[in-house]
Every structure is written in structure tokens, then in C-alpha cells.
Amino acid sequence: MSRALAHRGPDADGLARRGPAVLAHRRLSIIDTGSAANQPMDLPEAGLTIVFNGEIYNFAVLRTVLEGRGHHFQTHSDTEVLLHAFAEWGTGCLERLVGMFAFAVWDQRRRVLTLARDRLGKKPLFFALRGEGIAFASELKALRLHPFVDGSISSRAVSQFLSLGYVLGDACILDGVEKLGPGEVLEVGEAHVERRSYWNLAAHFQAKRRFTSRDAAMDELGELIDTAVRDRMVSDVPLGAFLSGGLDSAMAVEAMARSGRLGGIETFTIGFSERGYSEAAEARISADALGVRNHAHHVDAAMAGILPAMVHAADEPFADTSMIPLWFLSEFARRHVTVCLSGDGGDEAFGGYVTYAADRIHQMTRWIPGWAAASGGRILDAVVPATHAKVGWDYKARQFLAGHPLPFPQAHYSWRTLFEGDAKTALLHPDRRAAVLACRPFDSFARHFQAVEGCHYLDQAMYVDIKTWLADDILVKVDRMTMAHSLEARAPLLDHRVVEFAAALPVDWKLRGLTTKYILKEAARRRLPARVIDRRKAGFNAPVAHWLNGGLAELARGVTLGGPLLE
């Protein structure tokens, strides 16, 4: 199991048996790279042992507090601070942490194992719980090696994958395996199992803040972003940033420059030869405006041999094509740095997706009869051929018209679906069809909608997207593709303090009319050129349609029409 995770930690490995518990760790050394900070790490006086994946950004502040309470430290690592924090406050330490993490603490005296995951789910944690014990790992490829996991396929996960292109956090492609949810803690003892949440983002959507002015809110937002970026620049190894040419990554890089980092800032961009997909030119404009060095790398369809490695890295079935450019971007950046900051999270926290505009139009046009929308969709199908454009207007129109007759929650869900109804049925083998179709992915969305029932419909949409699309697609993609190359990605816009601030904002400060990310854009005007802020949102997609009709055509036909499978 440990060897299966060597890519996540190529710098050191450790294995420890403490009574009935066996803990293994692979280390990517970021803070205090000395061997004394390797894991598993023990705190003998408390009878505790920890394995930990991630970073605690406020570890220096916590260390000072703990020293004041009589704790003594042997290293300068955040792991040791986390271990002492657990000894001092137990699971109450989770509310004090600023960071991304998945960790396990074994308490030898109480014979209790505690698993915990960060608030937004940046770091993964899979587990299999049986009567005789528990097995867990950062990735499914490691956990499936344990005898608790028999390898049978979950119909629920297959249903979710076909509908959404990814598997939600309340399922796993392998039966009997669970994922600890974002902001959850699990305690397993000899006589009890307790699983609970320690963070309630819904409460921040429900308790809207009152600001003296919009300018005051923008001042606070700027300070929060500066703090989040500064916290994430603590590193004892080379650090850089992803730069796409869009607003969110530019905001992160601008804050890095604002911090006065010595030695310059290295940024990294991926590009494609297909028109409309490459952001290399826009990233160059942003880099020049910010005064940072930019390195661009171009990718084409001559990468068929890499696809099996990407599939292996993803673990579960995963159909977000942006995993392809991120794979190459991560590999390219890792040649220069070990840590990269990114702009992930801005769209979910501040309302940046066109789907939120679709939600608003849906509310404004509910008076249109369902038959009229359905007729419009049929006319569009007959008159306008499908294109290879990056999320072209025709695709958006088809999705909108198909979902328009539905009530709001189902309509919002439909904006992101791939296969539903007859199309989904046609893909399934008769032997599995009934079991898969009996599992409705929307039921998982419905539970999240219920958590923010009574909130503005756009707040509901953003909360649900944070709990589904962000946690189970975006952050999965980022973690697997970066860690496949032993690169750590840090997302300042997903600092929980920034996300809580955004949740408590008035809806019209996030989506003003049909203008997305309104307050973030207005705050950015104090820092960035207008051409960076106002450029059309492009998205981080690969030109897969072009490749499947070109350089990948033979491979695609072979895999889908009964040819040899990828190995």
C-alpha cells in the first residue's frame, strides 16, 4: 500500500506498528525537510502517533500558543505542531487549523483511531470499515490492495459517473469503500464508531453579513486574499504559481508579488495549437502586467501513450477533460518547483460560472411553457450542427433548453449532466441496467439543497456546487494530477476564511445582473489591468473533440468498438 503511494511522497517513507495499529507514510518534504520531521511521528508522553498529508499554514501561530501551554518541540515542522495540537485539544484542534489536510492519529492509550479531513476536501481520504477493523489510504489504488476491499463495482458510482462525469463523495467506484467527507472527522474505537462534521458552511450562507459599504467589503476581501496567499508562500522548497490568463490565478500571483517575495516569481502555463483552447497568449499578457516570469508549455494529440498513466492517477472513472492539461502543466512545473499556488475556487465561491447566469435566466423565464422550450431544443438540434468549440454557445443553449422545464434544483443539476434518460440507458449492459438506473445521482444533490433551504436560489446553487462539483471534481482533479508528479498545489481562494466571507455576501454582489464574480472583479480593478479582468471566461479545457477526430481517432475506435483495452 505504501509503495502504491510513492508518487505522493518520493522524499522519505516510514512504517510503524503501535499495538494493533500499523501506520505508513510517504513524504513530500516541504517544511523542515530534515529527517527528524519524517512520519509516522510519535508523541510518546501522550501515547499518540500521526500520519499526515497536507499543510497547516498557521502552524507557527499554533506553535507559539502551544509553547505557552508547556509544549516542547523537536522540529520546525507543521506535523509536530499538529500532533501537539491534537494532544492539547483533541478533535477540537480542527477548528483552529488553517490548511489542507487528511490525517490519522492513533491513540495507543485509548485504542482509538481518529481520521480527519480539511473543510473543503482538498486532500483525499478513503477508508474501508469492517467488524474486525479499519483500513484507510490517501488514494484508492493503495486501499484496494488491502484484503478488506474485494474490487466489486458500485452501481451507484457508475450511475453518478455516467450522469456527471465523476463520482460524488457519498459513493465510491468500489463497493465497501467510503470517502471521509470534507470537514468530517471519524473516530473508531473498540466499542464505538463516530462520524461527524466539524464545519458548517451552510450557516454562513444563511447568516448574511451587513457591510457599511461595498468598498469596505472589497477592502476586507483584499486583505483576506493577501493573508491567504502569504500563508501559502511558506515553504522550504522552490515555489511558483499556475497562471492561466484568467482573473483568479492573476489575483493569486498579484498577491504573491504584493508580498514582496525575493528572487522573483515563476509562473507556469499550458497551451494548445488548436484555436480557442490555448491561454498562453493571455497568460503572457498577465505575466507582463504583473512583472513575473512565465513559462509556457504546449501539448498536442501526440500524447496517447500518456493516457493510461492519467487514468491510473485518477483512481476512479473521471471524465473532466481539464485533467489532461493539468497533468502536463503539473509535470512541466515540477521541473522547476515543488509547490504551486493556483486560482482554484474563485468560480465556486464568488459565482463565476455561466450556470449561475443560466439559473437567473431560468427564474426570469419560468412563464415560458415547457413545450415551447422542448420545441426550441428540437429546432436547435435540427438546424445547428454540433461543433468542436470549447463549450460553444450551441452546447450551452441545448443544455439550458433541456433543463428549462424542470424545477430549479433539478434544472441546476441538469446544467452539468452528461448522460440522462434514454442516452444513459443505452450505454448500460442489460445485466447491470436496472441496478444502475435505480440509483439517482440527483438524490445526493437534493440533500445539499435541503441544507440551505430558504436561502436565495443562487446561494443554494453555489453551496451545492461547492459540496459536489468543487469537492468531487475540481479538487479531485487537482490533487491527483499534481500529486502524480509530486507537486503540491495550494489554493488561496479556497482558504476557508475567504469561502466563509464569500458565502455571507449579498447575492447581487456575486452575480450582478448576468455579470459573474462581480465583487471579485471590482476588487481586482484596484490591482489588475482591465484587459485581465474583463476578458471573456475561457475555462481550462482540452481540445478533445479535435483529437478524437484526429490524432486519437485510432485509439478511440479501438477502445470503444471492441479493440484492445488500455493496459
Side-chain angles (χ1 to χ4, degrees):
M1 291 171 70
S2 177
R3 285 193 296 270
L5 296 179
H7 55 282
R8 296 187 75 91
D11 298 328
D13 64 279
L15 182 69
R17 178 164 188 159
R18 302 291 180 262
V22 179
L23 303 174
H25 186 263
R26 306 293 308 210
R27 186 181 183 199
L28 178 63
S29 301
I30 304 291
I31 296 173
D32 188 351
T33 59
S35 60
N38 289 347
Q39 302 175 48
M41 182 179 287
D42 292 307
L43 188 59
E45 59 268 33
L48 301 178
T49 305
I50 191 171
V51 285
F52 158 52
N53 172 217
E55 301 291 344
I56 306 301
Y57 301 122
N58 64 332
F59 76 96
V61 173
L62 290 174
R63 176 174 175 144
T64 299
V65 173
L66 289 164
E67 286 175 333
R69 291 173 173 261
H71 291 256
H72 300 281
F73 295 86
Q74 306 301 315
T75 74
H76 296 285
S77 72
D78 57 338
T79 303
E80 189 181 13
V81 172
L82 175 56
L83 186 54
H84 280 263
F86 191 91
E88 180 69 26
W89 297 300
T91 57
C93 74
L94 293 165
E95 298 175 4
R96 299 172 180 261
L97 302 180
V98 177
M100 57 178 184
F101 54 84
F103 69 78
V105 174
W106 169 248
D107 187 330
Q108 177 66 13
R109 295 173 183 172
R110 296 172 56 227
R111 297 172 75 85
V112 171
L113 178 74
T114 300
L115 303 179
R117 194 171 175 210
D118 66 72
R119 295 171 179 86
L120 287 153
K122 298 167 192 170
K123 288 299 171 185
L125 190 50
F126 294 83
F127 68 93
L129 186 62
R130 301 289 183 271
E132 61 269 38
I134 184 172
F136 63 92
S138 289
E139 294 185 10
L140 192 57
K141 63 178 61 66
L143 185 57
R144 66 179 298 190
L145 298 175
H146 194 280
F148 280 2
V149 180
D150 64 13
S152 57
I153 300 299
S154 163
S155 294
R156 186 181 186 195
V158 171
S159 183
Q160 292 177 354
F161 172 67
L162 292 178
S163 289
L164 300 165
Y166 60 95
V167 179
L168 293 166
D170 60 5
C172 179
I173 194 62
L174 296 184
D175 270 326
V177 175
E178 299 180 65
K179 303 165 188 171
L180 193 64
E184 283 190 346
V185 58
L186 174 68
E187 290 184 335
V188 180
E190 291 179 321
H192 80 284
V193 175
E194 183 183 2
R195 183 176 182 176
R196 64 183 183 275
S197 297
Y198 65 88
W199 186 58
N200 182 10
L201 178 59
H204 295 274
F205 279 97
Q206 293 159 343
K208 291 296 183 181
R209 290 183 52 187
R210 294 181 180 273
F211 295 90
T212 57
S213 67
R214 192 184 64 191
D215 285 341
M218 289 192 291
D219 290 341
E220 184 175 343
L221 175 57
E223 292 171 2
L224 283 170
I225 292 174
D226 287 341
T227 299
V229 168
R230 188 166 54 249
D231 287 349
R232 283 156 181 78
M233 291 179 68
V234 176
S235 174
D236 293 332
V237 294
L239 177 146
F242 296 147
L243 186 61
S244 67
L247 170 63
D248 300 339
S249 63
M251 283 288 282
V253 172
E254 192 279 337
M256 293 174 73
R258 182 180 291 259
S259 73
R261 178 178 173 84
L262 299 177
I265 298 169
E266 306 286 340
T267 64
F268 305 92
T269 304
I270 206 74
F272 301 100
S273 58
E274 287 79 6
R275 184 180 178 183
Y277 283 85
S278 180
E279 294 190 306
E282 289 82 359
R284 171 61 63 185
I285 292 172
S286 295
D288 291 344
L290 295 168
V292 300
R293 290 189 290 273
N294 182 247
H295 308 273
H297 180 58
H298 288 263
V299 177
D300 57 31
M303 51 79 182
I306 303 296
L307 285 175
M310 292 185 190
V311 172
H312 179 72
D315 264 345
E316 293 186 282
F318 193 74
D320 185 337
T321 63
S322 60
M323 69 185 288
I324 298 172
L326 186 56
W327 168 281
F328 287 102
L329 179 59
S330 300
E331 188 276 332
F332 177 55
R334 188 62 174 89
R335 301 175 198 174
H336 305 268
V337 299
T338 308
V339 178
C340 261
L341 272 63
S342 78
D344 290 310
D347 289 322
E348 291 79 10
F350 293 95
Y353 290 121
V354 68
T355 50
Y356 303 131
D359 290 331
R360 176 155 282 174
I361 295 171
H362 177 264
Q363 291 290 309
M364 295 166 58
T365 59
R366 284 182 297 176
W367 55 271
I368 297 177
W371 63 264
S375 297
R378 287 193 292 270
I379 293 171
L380 191 65
D381 287 339
V383 175
V384 181
T387 71
H388 293 169
K390 185 202 286 191
V391 195
W393 72 267
D394 57 309
Y395 172 79
K396 296 175 186 175
R398 286 183 170 92
Q399 286 289 94
F400 179 78
L401 291 172
H404 186 274
L406 301 172
F408 164 67
Q410 289 93 330
H412 181 77
Y413 163 80
S414 76
W415 307 150
R416 293 198 182 278
T417 56
L418 301 178
F419 297 106
E420 289 287 89
D422 292 341
K424 185 173 178 179
T425 301
L427 288 168
L428 293 164
H429 191 283
D431 291 349
R432 294 296 296 267
R433 188 174 294 152
V436 172
L437 294 179
C439 304
R440 298 197 325 147
F442 176 72
D443 292 343
S444 301
F445 282 67
R447 287 191 289 273
H448 294 306
F449 273 110
Q450 289 169 3
V452 284
E453 189 176 13
C455 290
H456 190 281
Y457 67 89
L458 287 174
D459 274 335
Q460 293 181 37
M462 292 176 206
Y463 175 82
V464 169
D465 283 352
I466 288 171
K467 292 295 185 178
T468 56
W469 170 253
L470 176 69
D472 302 323
D473 182 298
I474 302 298
L475 294 180
V476 169
K477 170 193 68 181
V478 172
D479 176 80
R480 304 304 190 277
M481 296 302 106
T482 56
M483 293 307 295
H485 300 285
S486 306
L487 178 74
E488 179 171 281
R490 300 175 176 179
L493 293 181
L494 287 176
D495 185 297
H496 75 274
R497 298 164 296 188
V498 175
V499 175
E500 290 172 354
F501 172 87
L505 287 172
V507 166
D508 284 345
W509 287 9
K510 290 180 276 191
L511 187 69
R512 175 66 62 92
L514 297 181
T515 300
T516 57
K517 287 194 292 196
Y518 173 73
I519 195 168
L520 187 63
K521 290 176 180 177
E522 292 304 301
R525 294 190 193 282
R526 302 175 174 185
R527 303 178 173 212
L528 298 170
R531 63 181 181 273
V532 175
I533 300 167
D534 296 327
R535 66 179 289 258
R536 184 179 179 183
K537 182 175 176 60
F540 191 51
N541 304 96
V544 174
H546 292 272
W547 295 347
L548 291 175
N549 285 277
L552 293 183
E554 183 177 352
L555 173 66
R557 281 192 293 269
V559 170
T560 59
L561 300 180
L565 296 177
L566 294 173
E567 301 204 0

